[in-house]
Amino acid sequence: MENTIQPVPFIQGLFEYLQASPTAFHAVRSSAEILSLNGFQRLEESDDWGELAPGSYYLQRNNSSLIAFHLSVPPRASRGLRMAGAHTDSPCLKVKPQPVQLNHGAIQIGVEVYGGALLNPWFDRDLSLAGRVSWHREGGPLQCSLLDFQRPVAVIPSLAIHLDREANEKRSINKQTDLTPVAMLAPDGAAIDFSELLKEQLLQEHPGTEGAIILDHDLFFYDHQPPSRVGLNQELISGARLDNLLSCYALIRAAVDPPAQQDLLIVLNDHEETGSVSSSGAQGPFLRSVLERLYPEPEQRLRVLAQSLFISADNAHAVHPNFPQKYEANHLPQLNRGVVLKKNANQRYATDSLSGGLFKLLCSKAEVPVQEFVMRNDMACGSTIGPLTAAAIGVATVDVGIPSLAMHSIRETAGSLDGWYLYRALATFFQEKPECLTCREDQP
């Protein structure tokens, strides 16, 4: 496609996006900044939208989920929507409400495991801290602000091999006792006031917040090491939160490069890694409520959805060269070989032969290679927002993703081309004429 960015600028932009998005809150802020710079107007859920004029809009929920849409004609025209979605959250370690622990001269920060994190790689890493805090001044209203320490503030040291000779053969991790980060030493034997620490950081990042009283927080540890290109030919990328911020970035860029011409909608949901059951998750009412406001007449809304396609973008498993026996033999996605079409007979993915066929046609138009993945019958299959969205609003859905290694690790690996391939496919999807979404079924 003309006017789309090329692989190297795409990766550069992706790395900037990842660096600016250590949490779901920051990912939504980063996404909103890109949309605003490209002419999307912000809406508030609490406002009366009235009859929206043709144009580009976005809104947020809980600071951690976002919906953006472009309407080329008034909503009552009942045209189909090109819809796509991804999720903003990643497995990590979340700070407990009262986290400070004083143990043998070390001040540690208690955490909970968020999502299905691969835990071993969290040891011996430079960890920083980011998230959202709610606060007020005496007698004032509730306010919230995002924080990002942007420097290493903690580490989870491994137990030395001398004290655990079987660590390389039989190591297990106790989530309660083994994963508590060390934040500082306490030579005088005194603990710290965590709220005061957050208050100082708030003032540093948001001047003018003197006198703030911290009320609550949603804070997460993250890997401070920046993403990088890896390999003798730099054909790989390595970084935190590739699952699923790479998909989020591809969706956002595809929605603005080039400017939208067809009616489209993208949704970035939070809480996918914990089951999507929340007001801002895919099992919540966020997407449905927006569609109901855009198309208030039920019959009209059903007609729009009947003409629409939803692309659920979430990373797929590339074949690991050290563990090929863990994969279905005839379905071995490789890095830099294209977008993966994900299928599952038990509806863990929403792809069927119609939506899958439409996506293959789309990739053919975009000159993007396609691979296919199914899980082995003797292994459990993960899921995505795809089946949840399809069930909630009744839209034809296809599950796709870029192949990756070390999914749910603190750092994941992907091919340097595959994110760009996904972006190309999505950009084509958002620009193609309406007939590219049409499935002509046999008539009786």
Side-chain angles (χ1 to χ4, degrees), residues 263-279:
D263 293 357
L264 65 87
L265 182 148
I266 59 176
V267 55
L268 307 182
N269 285 121
D270 194 7
H271 301 135
E272 191 274 344
E273 298 293 1
T274 57
S276 296
V277 183
S278 71
S279 64

Side-chain angles (χ1 to χ4, degrees), residues 5 94 99 101 111 122 131 218 229 254 262 321 339 410 421 423:
I5 54 180
K94 183 178 182 181
Q101 303 175 18
V111 295
W122 280 82
D218 291 299
R229 299 192 67 168
Q262 306 294 339
V339 182
I410 195 171
Y421 284 144
Y423 156 74

Side-chain angles (χ1 to χ4, degrees), residues 338-349:
V339 182
V340 178
L341 190 62
K342 303 193 286 187
K343 297 183 177 181
N344 180 259
N346 295 300
Q347 295 299 302
R348 301 295 288 170
Y349 303 131

Side-chain angles (χ1 to χ4, degrees), residues 257-384:
D257 298 328
Q261 297 177 7
Q262 306 294 339
D263 293 357
L264 65 87
L265 182 148
I266 59 176
V267 55
L268 307 182
N269 285 121
D270 194 7
H271 301 135
E272 191 274 344
E273 298 293 1
T274 57
S276 296
V277 183
S278 71
S279 64
S280 53
Q283 290 202 65
F286 189 28
L287 176 57
R288 185 174 64 252
S289 68
V290 170
L291 291 172
E292 288 172 351
R293 295 180 73 168
L294 293 179
Y295 309 100
E297 295 297 327
E299 181 176 346
Q300 177 199 32
R301 188 165 60 252
L302 292 173
R303 289 174 57 202
V304 169
L305 291 172
Q307 302 173 70
S308 302
L309 176 68
F310 186 89
I311 297 179
S312 167
D314 199 349
N315 288 14
H317 296 291
V319 59
H320 195 304
N322 294 344
F323 305 95
Q325 70 278 10
K326 294 291 187 179
Y327 300 79
E328 173 65 32
N330 289 336
H331 302 82
L332 302 171
Q334 297 181 36
L335 302 179
N336 282 338
R337 297 295 180 87
V339 182
V340 178
L341 190 62
K342 303 193 286 187
K343 297 183 177 181
N344 180 259
N346 295 300
Q347 295 299 302
R348 301 295 288 170
Y349 303 131
T351 307
D352 60 22
S353 60
L354 297 182
S355 62
L358 284 172
F359 186 77
K360 288 180 179 180
L361 284 176
L362 184 69
C363 287
S364 177
K365 290 177 179 288
E367 299 181 347
V368 166
V370 180
Q371 309 181 80
E372 293 184 291
F373 175 82
V374 296
M375 186 66 78
R376 287 175 58 102
N377 287 328
D378 53 1
M379 297 178 66
C381 181
S383 191
T384 70

